[in-house]
Each structure stands twice: as structure tokens, then as C-alpha cells.
Amino acid sequence: MSKLLENVVGEFAKLPGVGRRSALRLALNLLRREVEDADALAGAIYQFRRDVKSCIYCNNISDTEICPICQDTRRDKKMICVVEQVADLITIENTRQYGGLYHVLGGVISPMQGVSPSDLKIDLLIDNITKNEVEEVILAIPSTIEGETTSYYITRRIKQLGVKISAISRGIGFGTEIEYADEMTITHALRNRVSY
Amino acid sequence: MSKLLENVVGEFAKLPGVGRRSALRLALNLLRREVEDADALAGAIYQFRRDVKSCIYCNNISDTEICPICQDTRRDKKMICVVEQVADLITIENTRQYGGLYHVLGGVISPMQGVSPSDLKIDLLIDNITKNEVEEVILAIPSTIEGETTSYYITRRIKQLGVKISAISRGIGFGTEIEYADEMTITHALRNRVSY
């Protein structure tokens, strides 16, 4: 096979959820498009990875030192929503239901994978809480063992600052059929039932 | 949102089968990997689209003027398998059951999409057949209306050269349940039943 093709297929296949078959389809599709289209894709990848920054306050990705959310004066600076990753921030932002700031941990505590609290910008979070006199920290961290450990660790460190701490509610999602919900979720949903 | 992110997500989303959600996932994954990994992906895309050639004999993609298949002296040059696209060639090659040459049309005749016979390297095919004294042409062209039109057109032009023409067999695929096969296929499979 063409080495150039082999190379680009190999690189595409390193992306998450892209198998060799899809990678081949992506590569061959480039041939049907203009040279400039491929250049644009290559350039966007190169530039993004090289030039994108982390916001010095919230660790969100940003083109500038301070991200647009932290710069936005209309946002409620008394609230910080703590998320594991940028994708979670974007998902929450897309609902347009949250007007506070964020804090992107960039991971969760995982001794197995060598991620310790010091890797997670938690000192920066404490700093922000203190400096901005934050009133509430909302934890929107995955409910995995690592996530729960992280939530517990953060809660322990924040509590002494006298700030309100909450976590997003868990339960059966809208559109999820109860029949297919997992046991953990159902157990939780039953125990934390809401009175009408 | 970050313009750099917006840009790379937009470019990823132009790839076939990649929606904006997957595009975002691909982009954010790049941040978890080394800068060099992103450079490698970008470089592979850029180089592939810029430098890959079409084989001057069979129109297969190639790093060199003549593709490795046409260069391979062990292959049976008396047989040409005609396919619509490179992906089809690769799929057939992967079976390791075919030892002849190929001819990549690069499309099928489609007046609706402005693809005429002259766009499909059919003159080149005729040339190859004549020069190499080819004995058999196997048509492995999709059984769509456009594909059938293309097969018919090629057959008409080749017939006068006194070369044997065949087409890959159609029927119910191995692993396909008869229950779920489409009516056209079943009708064809019944009519073209094979005696035991």
C-alpha cells in the first residue's frame, strides 16, 4: 500500500473511536476534496495543539491568558462549578442554564494512573475561592470511584473556607427508560426521591 | 469558545461520519496527547493530500508514478479487475484471493452528477487491455443504476476487443440472514441459483 496513505491512516486511527477502517475512509475522502481542504484540516490541528492555552484562573482552554468566561463581567463570580474536563464545561455551557464560573481539574485523583491531587489545580481553585470571596462551589464530577474520591478530597479542603458546597443531582436521566437504568442509579434515585 | 478549538472542530466535522460532537471529542483528545502527536497527524494529512499520486496505468493511489501492484512482476497481467474506487481495491486486496491487476475508475457514470464516461479513465483501460493483451476483465462495480450503466458502457466498449468479460457474483452475503436480505438481492439469488 502507499506509504503516504499508510501513514495518514495510522495517524487517524490513533484518534479515539476511529478504527483502521474508518481511518481509511477519512483518508480516502481527503482525495475527493481540494488540496486546500486538507491543508486547512492539517493547519487547524497543528495550530490548535500548538497555540491553545489554559486559562490562568480556571484552567479552561483559551486563545488568551484569561478565558472568555472568566473575562465576562456578566457572569456570577461568586459561584464556581468544578468539572473534570473541558468537554464537561462545554456541555454545561450549552444548556445556557449556568451563569457562574468554572474550574477545570483536568482529571480526577487516580493513584492507579499516577494522578495525585497536586496534578489537578486544586490549589488554584482554593486561591480563586479565597480571592473572589466565592459563595458556592458546585461539584460536577463523574460518579466513579476516582470522581467520588476527588469530590471528597475537594470538599475536605474547601469546607474550612466556609463556602457552600453542592453537587449536581444524580438520578435517572430524562429520556432514559427505567427498564434500562443501572442498579446503582435506581438505588440512588429511590433513596433520594423528591417529595411532591 | 476558543477560536482555535472552533476552527479545528469545524475542520474535523467536515470529515465523513464525523458530527460536531465527535469532532469536539477528537479535538479535545489532542490536548491530552503530546504536541508532537498532533504535529504528526497534521503532517500526515498535509503530505498525503499533497504528494500522493495516481498510478499512470491503473489509477490506484500511489507514492510513485506506477503503483506497487502494477510494478509487481508476480501479478497476472492478463486479468484486470475494474472497481469504482480505491477503497474497493483495498477491500479486494485484503482477501488475498486475487492475483491480477486493477483498474480504478474513480467514479461511475452519473449524468445527474455530471460524471461522463470520459471522466472515468475508460480510454486508459482500453489502452491497457490492448497493450497487455489482457484476457479477462472482471467488473466489480456497485449494482446501483449508475454502476450498472457504467458496467454496460464498459462491456460495450470492451466486447469488440475479444476479451472475456465477467462480473462479481451477486447474492446473499455470508453472515447475512435471509430474513433481512433486501428483495432485489433475494430475487437475484433465486434466479441465479447454483446447481449442486
Side-chain angles (χ1 to χ4, degrees):
Chain A
M1 218 214 280
S2 151
K3 282 208 180 63
L4 291 164
L5 178 64
E6 191 60 68
N7 190 23
V8 74
V9 167
E11 292 298 335
F12 270 132
K14 287 180 192 164
L15 293 171
V18 180
R20 279 196 64 87
R21 242 195 143 90
S22 319
L24 179 63
R25 206 161 46 95
L26 296 183
L28 293 176
N29 175 264
L30 292 176
L31 292 182
R32 284 194 215 121
R33 288 162 58 196
E34 299 299 318
V35 171
E36 289 71 27
D37 289 348
D39 289 354
L41 173 60
I45 292 168
Y46 180 86
Q47 268 214 309
F48 170 64
R49 187 64 186 83
R50 292 249 157 198
D51 297 345
V52 86
K53 296 173 182 62
S54 294
C55 173
I56 55 167
Y57 290 130
C58 75
N59 199 33
N60 181 18
I61 60 169
S62 176
D63 299 348
T64 45
E65 251 200 349
I66 303 168
C67 81
I69 295 174
C70 285
Q71 279 188 44
D72 189 342
T73 52
R74 290 161 305 177
R75 302 206 61 133
D76 181 359
K77 295 200 172 3
K78 301 290 169 210
M79 260 184 153
I80 294 183
C81 177
V82 180
V83 295
E84 178 187 0
Q85 50 184 2
V86 175
D88 302 336
L89 180 157
I90 293 172
T91 305
I92 296 173
E93 258 321 84
N94 285 342
T95 67
R96 297 169 186 274
Q97 297 300 312
Y98 177 71
L101 301 183
Y102 290 93
H103 194 83
V104 179
L105 295 172
V108 284
I109 297 170
S110 169
M112 293 283 284
Q113 288 181 36
V115 183
S116 74
S118 59
D119 298 317
L120 300 183
K121 317 265 176 193
I122 294 173
D123 288 340
L124 180 62
L125 172 63
I126 307 279
D127 246 37
N128 292 337
I129 292 171
T130 320
K131 283 184 190 150
N132 296 321
E133 296 172 14
V134 168
E135 288 162 6
E136 182 171 358
V137 171
I138 303 171
L139 302 174
I141 298 173
S143 56
T144 55
I145 294 174
E146 290 86 355
E148 295 289 359
T149 306
T150 309
S151 288
Y152 177 72
Y153 178 86
I154 293 173
T155 304
R156 232 187 36 189
R157 292 210 36 199
I158 291 177
K159 234 173 192 165
Q160 59 210 40
L161 304 175
V163 61
K164 188 182 166 194
I165 307 170
S166 61
I168 52 166
S169 71
R170 308 286 175 186
I172 295 164
F174 291 95
T176 301
E177 293 185 57
I178 293 168
E179 187 179 353
Y180 299 117
D182 64 289
E183 285 178 28
M184 276 273 287
T185 303
I186 290 181
T187 305
H188 179 95
L190 279 171
R191 286 196 188 148
N192 294 270
R193 60 195 178 279
V194 177
S195 302
Y196 275 176
Chain B
M1 218 211 282
S2 150
K3 284 211 179 61
L4 291 163
L5 177 63
E6 191 58 67
N7 189 23
V8 74
V9 166
E11 291 298 334
F12 270 133
K14 287 181 192 163
L15 292 171
V18 180
R20 279 195 65 88
R21 242 194 142 91
S22 321
L24 179 62
R25 206 160 44 95
L26 297 182
L28 293 176
N29 176 263
L30 292 175
L31 291 183
R32 284 195 216 124
R33 288 162 57 197
E34 299 298 318
V35 171
E36 289 70 28
D37 289 347
D39 289 355
L41 172 60
I45 292 167
Y46 180 86
Q47 269 214 309
F48 171 64
R49 187 63 185 85
R50 291 248 158 202
D51 297 346
V52 84
K53 295 173 182 64
S54 295
C55 173
I56 55 167
Y57 292 131
C58 76
N59 199 32
N60 181 17
I61 61 168
S62 176
D63 299 346
T64 45
E65 251 201 348
I66 302 168
C67 81
I69 295 175
C70 284
Q71 278 188 44
D72 189 342
T73 53
R74 290 160 305 177
R75 303 210 54 136
D76 181 358
K77 294 197 173 2
K78 302 289 169 210
M79 261 184 153
I80 294 182
C81 178
V82 180
V83 294
E84 179 187 359
Q85 51 183 4
V86 174
D88 301 335
L89 180 157
I90 293 172
T91 305
I92 295 173
E93 258 321 85
N94 286 342
T95 66
R96 297 171 186 272
Q97 297 300 310
Y98 176 70
L101 301 182
Y102 290 93
H103 193 82
V104 180
L105 295 172
V108 283
I109 298 170
S110 170
M112 292 281 286
Q113 289 182 34
V115 183
S116 72
S118 59
D119 298 317
L120 300 182
K121 317 266 177 192
I122 293 174
D123 289 340
L124 180 62
L125 172 63
I126 306 279
D127 246 39
N128 292 338
I129 293 171
T130 321
K131 282 184 189 148
N132 296 322
E133 295 172 18
V134 168
E135 289 163 6
E136 183 171 358
V137 172
I138 304 171
L139 303 173
I141 298 173
S143 56
T144 54
I145 294 174
E146 290 86 356
E148 295 290 358
T149 306
T150 310
S151 290
Y152 176 74
Y153 178 87
I154 293 173
T155 305
R156 232 185 37 187
R157 292 209 38 197
I158 292 177
K159 231 172 193 165
Q160 60 210 42
L161 304 173
V163 61
K164 188 182 166 193
I165 308 170
S166 62
I168 51 166
S169 71
R170 306 288 175 182
I172 295 163
F174 293 96
T176 301
E177 293 184 58
I178 293 169
E179 187 180 353
Y180 299 116
D182 64 288
E183 285 178 28
M184 276 273 287
T185 303
I186 291 180
T187 306
H188 179 96
L190 280 171
R191 286 195 189 147
N192 294 271
R193 60 195 179 276
V194 177
S195 303
Y196 274 174

